[in-house]
Structure formats: C-alpha cells, structure tokens
Amino acid sequence: MMCYSIPMQILWNDKEAADFGADPLALRVYTSRLLGCEPALVLHGGGNTSVKIHEKNLFGDSEHLLYVKGSGWDLATMEAKGFAPVRMDTLMRMANLERLTDADMVNVQRSAMTNPEAPAPSVEAILHAVIPFQFVDHTHADAVVAITNTPGGDGTIRKILGDKVLYIPYVMPGFVLARKVYELTRDADWKKYEGMVLLNHGIFSFADNARESYERMIRLVTKAEDFIKSKKVFDLPTAPAAQPKEDLRALAHLRREVSRKWGAPVVARLNNTPEALAYAGLPNIENLSCRGPLTPDHVIHTKRLPLVLSATASTAGMTAALATFESEYRAYFERNTTGDLKCLDPAPRWGVWPEHGVLAFGLHAKRADVVADIIRHTMKAQQWAEGMGGWVALPERDIFEVEYWELEQAKLKKGGGAPPLQGKIAIVTGAASGIGKACVEALRAQGAAVTALDINPEVTKMWKGADVLGLVCDVTNAKAIDAAIAQTVRRFGGIDIVVPNAGLFPQSKSIEAMDDDTWDRTINVNLTSQMYLLRACVPYLVLGIDPAIVAVASKNVPAPGPGAAAYSASKAGMTQLARVAALELGPKGVRVNMLHPHAVMDTGLWTAEVLEGRARNYNMTVEEYKRNNLLKVEVRSKDVADLVCAMAGPLFSKTTGAQVAVDGGSDRII
C-alpha cells in the first residue's frame, strides 16, 4: 500500500480494495490504513474509524453493531481484530443520558461488546454511533487544526469548507463531546452533510460506503491545505546548510537531569534537521512554542509546554531551566486541580534548544519517537498559523482537563511494572554473534535501548526498531570507536551500560611458536580495543543513570591453559583494566564488574567439527562434553547475557569490582 504526502491525494485503488473483499469490515480496515499511513492526518494511535453492521448472534437474532477502532490500535496497521463490536442500542441509550462519567461510559461500552476479547472501544464510540452513516472517519488533520487555531479560525474554516460541514465548538472528548453533538444535531438533516469539524480538535467525514467516506475526508482536508498554500506559508523555512552546534556532553547532562525530574531513566532524541533548526531559531520561539499543543489529545504525550533553553546554556543553566519548568508546571497544576488529582511528574516531554535543534523525551525509545513525530507536526502547524494571523491554542484549563482526564488518572492508579532496564542506554561490542548478540537481545528485552557494534556488516541488518542501532565498527580503531559513541549519544541521549565483549580466540600455539602477528592482533582486539571503548564512554557514563560496565572476560583469567598465551594474557589484561576502572570510576558512581564465561558452545567458535573433536579427546559424547562441569549443565550465550543484564541492573547496584564465573562450576577455579 502506497502512502502519500502533501499535497494529499486520493489513494483508493480498486485492485487493492478488491483484495480486501466486499465485506464492510474488511473495507473499513482498508480505508483505515489509507488514512493511517498519512501522518498529516493521524499520528500514533490518533484518530478513529468505525462501521455499522447488522450481525446475527448465537441465538439467530440480528443485532445492530458499531465496529469502532479499539484502544491501543494504530490506523496505519489496522486489522479486523483491532475493532471493538459494540451494540448500537446501548450506545444510543447512553447518548440520551444527560450525565455520565467517562469511567462509567467505558464500563458500559465494555459490557455492551459482543466479543469480550476485543480491545476496549474508543472513547468516541458514542459519537460514532450518533452519526447516522454506516462509515465514519475521524482524523486530527494538521491543516484543519492549524486553521482553527488562529484568530477567527471558526469563521475561516467555515468559509473554506462550506455548508456541507457541521461545525462544533471545542468540547472535552468523551461523553461530554458525544452528548453535545447529539444535542446540536438531534433535528439536523444529516443527508445535507459530508463532514463535521470539531474546532481545535479534528475533523470527521461520513458516508454509507467506505470509499466515499474516505474520499470525503481527503477532499475536505485538501481544501484546508489549498487555503494555507494561498497564504504563501505552506513551504516552511529551513536553516542554512551550516552544521548545527553540537555539545553531546551537555545533551547527556540534560537527559540525566530530565530523568531525575521524571523519576526514571529516559531516552532523549535530538532533531537537528534544517527544519528543526529553523524552528528553534525563530525570534519569538519561546513565546510561540509555549502557547499550547496542536490539539488537546497530544498533551498526554507532550505536556502543555516545552522546556526552552538558550543557545549557549551551560549545564548549570540547563539545570536551572529545568527547575523553572518544574516550578511552573506545579503552579499550573495548582491553578487547575480540583483537589482530588495526583500531580504528574514535572519533567518536560520536549524541548527547544536554539542552534542545536528540538528535543523529545520518552521512557523508552519508541515513546520518544512518538513525541518527536508529534512535535514535527506541531512545528509545522504553528508556523502555518503564525503566517495566517497567529497561533492561538486552547486555554490552559481545556488542556489541563485532557492531561488530567479521569481515564488517564485511572491508568496511573493501575500502574504496572516497567522492565528493569527501561530507559537505559547500552553499548555492546562484538554484537553480531554469540554472547554479544545474546546481550543485545537480552538488554532490549529488559527495556534498554542498545547500540550494537561489530566489524561484521550484517550487524546493521540484524535488528529493527526504535530501540536499537547497529553500527559497523572496527574496535581496534580508536577513531571508529569515538564516532560510534558520539552516534549513540546523538541517537539516544547518553550512555548508561557498556558491555566490552568483542574478542578473538586465535589458533592454539605454544609460547615458543607464537608469531608476532597472532600476538599483536589478539592483544589489540582483546585488550587495547577495550581501553579505547572505556576511554570514549567514561565522559558519558559519569553522566548516566546508575551507570555500569560489565566486561566479558574469560575462565582463562583465573585458570589459563597451555597453548593459549595470547588469549589468556589479553583477557587477564582486560580484567586488570576493568579492575582499575572500578577503582577510578567508583567514586563517580560507575560500577565495573567482570564475567568469566567458559565453554559457551552456541557461538561461532564451536563448530560441529570442533565439538566432536573435543568430545572425542575426552572420550565423551558431544552432549556430555557440553555439560563437562560440576553442575552438569550447558552454558549458553543467553545465560551469560542474562547475568550481564543482572549486573547492569538494580540487583548489583551496590557491587563493583566483582569477578563472577559463568561456567557451571570448574574444579580448576574452585
């Protein structure tokens, strides 16, 4: 499915639609995806769609159902199972009520579902039911919201879209909005209308077939875009081609301070594109950016206002700016609270840093990306509105009501544990195979964002996701290491966990047979590269959140064997380097611990032929050889990775300088 960009185009494709079939729900899925793939219409779960269908139940009775987008689903990836089937008669009876809390509304909607395993219905399900058309589409189109967020925007949007559209003054989403629309349209001739604008919020389109409802949405939004183009403000300015200022240590400091305000580690995204730099450099940027969000729905992700820094802010200046942000946020809460609300954390969700760019913060990388996407569209809409008379957001009271909506407060009370390493930022070397690959997988599974370094080009293709960055890196090249560390900080905002794992096990040779190349190459990979890595990471680790280094050494450190002089000496040197690091970095809050794995046989070093040969030497089967330790267990890469995560996490928060074997028990060490 092809997605489109400005100017919007109708992308209905007869062949694609035929592939979905004639079933109304299937077509609802198709047009939902068409809408969802355009960020200028919906972002990250925003917007919703529905279809009304008559179905027979288990008893053969026909029921009129509203299939409405379920909570947590994104229109861009919509599937039939993402729609919640709710009985229309229940929804319409709720619309007739004069009062209903949103919490009660959610409970009643849930009880009226015909499939208890479906997701919770959208909070706008009643509104979709009230609109008497089979297909209903709702988006937060940038162009429409930008126009309504200007002085006289109500009148302007009416002139643009005409009398085939209903216009509803801003009302809090949920039951109050549904009830308001129901009251205003009770006697309306709906056949006269193609859409409905919710001022400062979004736009609806509707029809009795999927294609027409979708195409009406695109036509209406295109009219709004054409109006903005006519004002000569559609093409936004960009900053000059000169490189933006960069202060990665200041970025790491800011990310740490935001984490402290939040009460949890966060990922920080820095957008320093020409568009972001131009926005951050606007003469009135502090005033413009602090007028409020694009639409109230965004406040859940962005808070009402950003953190605004000066171009030359020192770390002390950043800390002071955050203190001011916190003070103003708490004052905003006190001005608007009813007294029975819990104040949310006082940390910003985004920030403006002139000459550097625009920042987005999130409890994990995906959440930071959501904020970054919303802010990209906010920057655009704000500048459009400025060119059309001025950006005017809703009053803070309206924004507060959405930010502290009872449904959002209920989510807070439910809580739910976060993964132990959520928001942490890790670097793993030797990450394309074996223990390193397992470490990347385990760290991500426990919530960390990870940069995976390896000389193997496949490292760039192995993982997908907002929380992972695969980089080709020769760890014996100090400049390559420095560049990889800088790229990590740019991508995630700092460094908390370092896993020096890259290693080389050369062919067995006695000391008298040792050639210079084997010795030098082994020392460079196993020892010198680790110094390069630590040297590059320490300036950021000391600014990290409970920072930790977990060095992957070897059983050969406490129990070397003949024929492995280069490997044993280099791993012993690596261990000694880590011990010195523990002494130096402990007073700065950085923990350094070491692991000594042995006989981890699911790595590339242990081919089937090597395993069979070693097993024969010991008169064992391969399975017996794998478990040739005191506990008679097989040690896998995942086992080592799990202990790496433990040592990087809170369980080892008061341990540094430790050396732990991961070998099933070796009598030579014990």
Side-chain angles (χ1 to χ4, degrees), residues 598-610:
H598 176 53
V600 183
M601 298 179 187
D602 60 347
T603 67
L605 294 174
W606 293 89
T607 63
E609 293 76 14
V610 169

Side-chain angles (χ1 to χ4, degrees), residues 360-376:
F361 305 104
L363 286 173
H364 47 77
K366 186 176 180 180
R367 178 56 56 190
D369 280 357
V370 168
V371 174
D373 284 347
I374 289 173
I375 298 311
R376 271 192 286 271

Side-chain angles (χ1 to χ4, degrees), residues 1-23:
M1 182 183 296
M2 179 181 131
C3 285
Y4 47 84
S5 59
I6 295 171
M8 286 196 184
Q9 301 171 11
I10 292 172
L11 290 186
W12 176 280
N13 181 289
D14 286 336
K15 184 178 182 304
E16 283 184 351
D19 290 340
F20 280 82
D23 176 69

Side-chain angles (χ1 to χ4, degrees), residues 228-455:
I228 296 172
K229 289 177 188 176
S230 74
K231 297 298 181 181
K232 310 297 183 186
V233 296
F234 206 70
D235 296 322
L236 300 178
T238 57
Q243 286 292 317
K245 287 186 176 179
E246 183 170 83
D247 189 340
L248 295 180
R249 289 198 69 186
L251 175 60
H253 169 85
L254 178 63
R255 177 247 172 185
R256 181 184 66 182
E257 296 306 301
V258 170
S259 297
R260 287 174 173 173
K261 297 291 183 189
W262 205 317
V266 302
V267 169
R269 293 282 206 228
L270 176 62
N271 177 0
N272 59 6
T273 62
E275 293 79 11
L277 289 168
Y279 174 80
L282 291 172
N284 67 334
I285 186 58
E286 183 168 9
N287 177 279
L288 174 63
S289 64
C290 290
R291 292 182 205 165
L294 177 58
T295 177
D297 302 65
H298 289 169
V299 73
I300 304 300
H301 303 288
T302 65
K303 279 189 159 44
R304 190 174 73 92
L305 305 178
L307 171 72
V308 181
L309 303 170
S310 70
T312 57
S314 63
T315 54
M318 288 178 166
T319 302
L322 275 167
T324 299
F325 182 93
E326 176 180 4
S327 175
E328 292 177 350
Y329 183 80
R330 294 193 185 280
Y332 153 77
F333 176 79
E334 292 301 327
R335 284 195 302 272
N336 293 284
T337 184
T338 58
D340 58 350
L341 298 173
K342 175 185 176 183
C343 186
L344 302 175
D345 68 85
R349 299 307 192 256
W350 69 290
V352 179
W353 193 4
E355 299 183 20
H356 293 78
V358 176
L359 298 150
F361 305 104
L363 286 173
H364 47 77
K366 186 176 180 180
R367 178 56 56 190
D369 280 357
V370 168
V371 174
D373 284 347
I374 289 173
I375 298 311
R376 271 192 286 271
H377 288 263
T378 300
M379 293 190 298
K380 177 176 63 178
Q382 285 181 341
Q383 291 175 88
W384 286 347
E386 283 291 275
M388 294 185 291
W391 171 258
V392 182
L394 286 166
E396 72 167 43
R397 179 67 191 177
D398 291 317
I399 305 301
F400 181 87
E401 286 181 349
V402 176
E403 185 176 2
Y404 283 85
W405 198 358
E406 63 176 312
L407 300 182
E408 294 301 324
Q409 289 285 300
K411 291 179 185 176
L412 283 178
K413 291 174 183 176
K414 290 180 181 176
L421 300 179
Q422 179 174 278
K424 292 292 195 76
I425 300 162
I427 292 178
V428 179
T429 62
S433 61
I435 292 171
K437 181 173 180 287
C439 285
V440 174
E441 292 168 346
L443 287 162
R444 290 181 73 198
Q446 294 202 22
V450 186
T451 294
L453 304 183
D454 203 288
I455 199 168

Side-chain angles (χ1 to χ4, degrees), residues 68-72 82 84 106 109-110 113 118-123:
V68 65
K69 192 195 91 165
S71 177
V106 168
Q109 286 182 175
R110 195 42 137 156
M113 291 170 54
S122 164
V123 295

Side-chain angles (χ1 to χ4, degrees), residues 1 3 20 28-38 42 44-45 69 72-83 366:
M1 182 183 296
C3 285
F20 280 82
R28 176 72 288 175
V29 170
Y30 174 54
T31 54
S32 296
R33 292 182 185 179
L34 290 180
L35 294 171
C37 72
E38 175 47 74
V42 294
H44 300 289
K69 192 195 91 165
W73 280 80
D74 194 313
L75 291 180
T77 55
M78 203 62 193
E79 299 178 25
K81 64 183 179 181
F83 287 95
K366 186 176 180 180

Side-chain angles (χ1 to χ4, degrees), residues 145-223:
V145 178
I147 291 168
T148 63
N149 281 357
T150 60
D154 181 1
T156 303
I157 199 69
R158 289 174 185 269
K159 290 177 182 178
I160 296 168
L161 301 184
D163 58 8
K164 290 187 177 181
V165 173
L166 287 159
Y167 301 91
I168 309 296
Y170 175 77
V171 181
M172 172 81 176
F175 175 75
V176 176
L177 173 60
R179 176 66 185 178
K180 183 70 172 179
V181 173
Y182 182 64
E183 290 175 344
L184 292 175
T185 62
R186 196 177 313 209
D187 299 321
D189 181 4
W190 281 92
K191 293 180 181 179
K192 293 167 49 179
Y193 301 108
E194 297 179 350
M196 177 172 65
V197 168
L198 306 178
L199 298 176
N200 311 99
H201 178 160
I203 182 170
F204 280 77
S205 63
F206 30 77
D208 282 328
N209 69 76
R211 179 173 185 171
E212 183 59 23
S213 184
Y214 160 71
E215 292 186 352
R216 283 178 174 178
M217 175 65 71
I218 303 305
R219 287 195 294 265
L220 290 170
V221 175
T222 299
K223 286 183 179 181

